[in-house]
Amino acid sequence: MTTVGVLALQGDVREHLAVLTGCGVRAVAVRRKSELDAVDALVLPGGESTTMSRLLETFELLEPLRARLAGGMPAYGSCAGMILLAKDVLDGRPDQQQLGALDIVVRRNAFGRQVDSFETDLPFTGLDDPVHAVFIRAPWVESAGGGVRVLATVPRQPGAGAAEGRIVAVRQGMVLATAFHPELTGDGRVHRLFCDLVRGAEPPYRVAG
Ligand code: GLN
């Protein structure tokens, strides 16, 4: 059975484990290198990226995780997880570590400069119906490299303000990230897309180019 880990240093670990279990994979918490070595893929949860960054160093997981990502391990990050996976962060802490698995620059707490949380229905590439997206002190993607596929942007709507048109879901190779938290809404479709990717199935959102 495919084993998908959830980085369990801090954040909404249990919610991700529950949704992954519903996707029919073995979902396990990852806190140490031996646990990381045993998974086929890893989810990086929402939480606080600066804290997770510090704990990755304390638990001596930073370099092993970078090495697994460089080796092609599939990964999915939600919110703080997206920040960690990014190559660069704006409005981060100077000592915040980046995993560099996605060629994106994220702005931390981007929505939080206007409102702390924001909800909207987002069209999402590869899903038939929009995803109800919950943003909590979320980042957005300020810029993305040529190899990054944009899966969702914030649509025009009252209250969107400066968030309108911002990139909030991306995929690059085997790495997926959303600025919002599908693990909190009872909608398993984004996790299922990820699990399909991990299982090596041809996911519906894989388009040519
Ligand atoms: N603001 C948090 C950070 O910087 C992310 C918030 C979240 O994951 N909901 O990591």
Side-chain angles (χ1 to χ4, degrees), residues 102-117:
L102 285 170
D103 184 14
I104 58 173
V105 179
V106 293
R107 185 174 294 281
R108 193 167 153 255
N109 297 339
F111 294 83
R113 287 181 301 171
Q114 314 145 66
V115 280
D116 261 4
S117 68

Side-chain angles (χ1 to χ4, degrees), residues 45-50 78-81 83 96 108-109 136-139 181:
E48 177 50 55
S49 58
T50 54
S78 68
C79 201
I83 297 174
Q96 178 160 9
R108 193 167 153 255
N109 297 339
I136 305 167
R137 294 182 58 73
H181 295 269

Side-chain angles (χ1 to χ4, degrees), residues 10-12 44-52 78-84 89 91-92 96 107-110 116 134-139 178-181 183-184:
Q10 189 262 340
D12 64 346
L44 294 92
E48 177 50 55
S49 58
T50 54
T51 305
M52 278 190 245
S78 68
C79 201
M82 172 190 255
I83 297 174
L84 285 166
V89 60
D91 297 337
Q96 178 160 9
R107 185 174 294 281
R108 193 167 153 255
N109 297 339
D116 261 4
V134 176
F135 297 90
I136 305 167
R137 294 182 58 73
T178 60
F180 53 92
H181 295 269
E183 73 277 13
L184 297 182

Side-chain angles (χ1 to χ4, degrees), residues 54 97 119 141 144 175 184 192:
R54 191 166 39 75
Q97 300 285 343
E119 297 190 19
V141 178
V175 182
L184 297 182
R192 267 202 298 282

